Amino acid sequence: MSVGVQGKIAIVTGGAQGIGKSIAETLARNGATVVVSDVKAEQGLATAAALGGTFFPCDVSDFDQVHALVDACAARYGRLDIMVNNAGINSNRPEDRVTADRYPIETWHKIINVDLHGTFHGCQAAAQQMVEQRSGSIVNIASVAGVVALRLQIGYVAAKAAVLRMTEAMACELGPMGVRVNAVSPGSTLTDGTRELFYNDKDRAEHILSFIPQRRPGETTEIAEAVLFLASDAAAYVNGHNLIVDGGWTCGFNRDF
Ligand SMILES: NC(=O)c1ccc[n+]([C@@H]2O[C@H](COP(=O)([O-])OP(=O)(O)OC[C@H]3O[C@@H](n4cnc5c(N)ncnc54)[C@H](O)[C@@H]3O)[C@@H](O)[C@H]2O)c1
């Protein structure tokens, strides 16, 4: 199988670090021209420079900034072939890891604004350009938390579940106009953030890994390869799909009775 992103123009939101950085690197390594976008300008510039792409600052929760991002890409490169809506946040503050009856409303709004509204802004801005072109591929980064309910993070669970259903609805709407919309749902993936939060503590790590059949966290490159496939022409007939990359976490109860 050859992966066809040679010569394509891609945007990756939240591309400065973590999974987004890996996605940007993987797309670039396979021949795409990548616009890295993030709220972190210094890191975003460094990531973009390392892969020969460009950086455009953008807070995805701001409708106008996301439309300006897509407009800038189209003005510079004449088109947009791949839009990866990766930017996302969660909260691990103890005061936010509580049941829904006590979940802080400001945390709810903050997460919904970035993870759900931000993804919609990216989809809509990209779709306007892609419908005009009659071609394009949008990949939304959701989460296993959108596939199965996890406790004590209601804002994140709700946002990611909505992203998955929105992905399907847009696939139905935009398919006739030549635009594919898919999602990738990562399981627990090793980044600087998750290493510090979960994997530096041996007991906590063992507890998390006991739920994952492959007994290890995912690598950011393993998420990026799934995005590369969906973004590419190799997935030309894949539309409205959620590709779960979680080591088997959500495939069943990993427990003995
Ligand atoms: N790491 C995991 O275990 C995991 C698991 C499931 C899903 N995900 C999802 O993968 C995506 C990337 O996560 P990650 O682990 O690499 O996180 P990360 O925190 O390492 O990186 C996220 C990037 O998004 C940027 N960002 C945050 N808010 C933004 C905004 N409003 N506008 C633009 N950029 C913004 C950050 O600056 C950062 O560069 C997220 O959507 C996350 O929900 C991650």
Side-chain angles (χ1 to χ4, degrees), residues 26-244:
T26 300
L27 290 172
R29 206 172 40 250
N30 283 274
T33 296
V34 182
V35 176
V36 173
S37 176
D38 207 289
V39 283
K40 289 185 181 163
E42 204 176 315
Q43 264 177 276
L45 272 166
T47 300
L51 50 82
T54 49
F55 174 73
F56 196 92
C58 172
D59 178 343
V60 295
S61 66
D62 184 313
F63 176 87
D64 292 333
Q65 286 188 34
V66 181
H67 282 259
L69 164 66
V70 172
D71 288 349
C73 175
R76 175 152 188 175
Y77 298 108
R79 55 189 296 110
L80 171 62
D81 301 301
I82 297 166
M83 179 72 175
V84 184
N85 293 303
N86 163 80
I89 57 168
N90 196 358
S91 173
N92 286 290
R93 298 186 316 162
E95 57 270 41
D96 291 329
R97 288 289 172 143
V98 293
T99 50
D101 54 306
R102 294 188 296 127
Y103 194 77
I105 193 63
E106 61 277 8
T107 305
W108 169 271
H109 285 300
K110 205 170 145 193
I111 290 176
I112 295 288
N113 273 336
V114 177
D115 293 7
L116 176 55
H117 297 168
T119 302
F120 178 71
H121 296 155
C123 286
Q124 189 183 53
Q128 287 172 3
Q129 174 65 30
M130 290 173 175
V131 164
E132 213 177 289
Q133 299 167 185
R134 308 299 284 184
S135 75
S137 173
I138 297 173
V139 182
N140 295 325
I141 306 304
S143 167
V144 290
V147 178
V148 295
L150 302 181
R151 296 172 63 244
L152 311 181
Q153 40 187 319
I154 194 71
Y156 189 71
V157 165
K160 294 297 189 178
V163 164
L164 288 175
R165 194 47 45 82
M166 187 174 80
T167 299
E168 292 166 354
M170 287 196 188
C172 295
E173 291 178 357
L174 303 179
M177 294 180 266
V179 181
R180 297 184 296 110
V181 190
N182 291 288
V184 169
S185 283
S188 188
T189 307
L190 209 50
T191 61
D192 290 345
T194 57
R195 188 177 286 109
E196 194 181 318
L197 273 170
F198 310 125
Y199 292 109
N200 278 346
D201 177 336
K202 191 167 169 287
D203 290 342
R204 194 148 189 216
E206 269 176 20
H207 179 69
I208 294 174
L209 296 180
S210 72
F211 297 108
I212 302 173
Q214 286 187 243
R215 295 290 189 273
R216 66 169 178 85
E219 299 290 338
T220 57
T221 49
E222 293 172 317
I223 309 304
E225 300 285 347
V227 173
L228 172 67
F229 168 66
L230 290 173
S232 76
D233 293 341
Y237 200 52
V238 183
N239 190 27
H241 186 67
N242 176 30
L243 182 41
I244 300 173

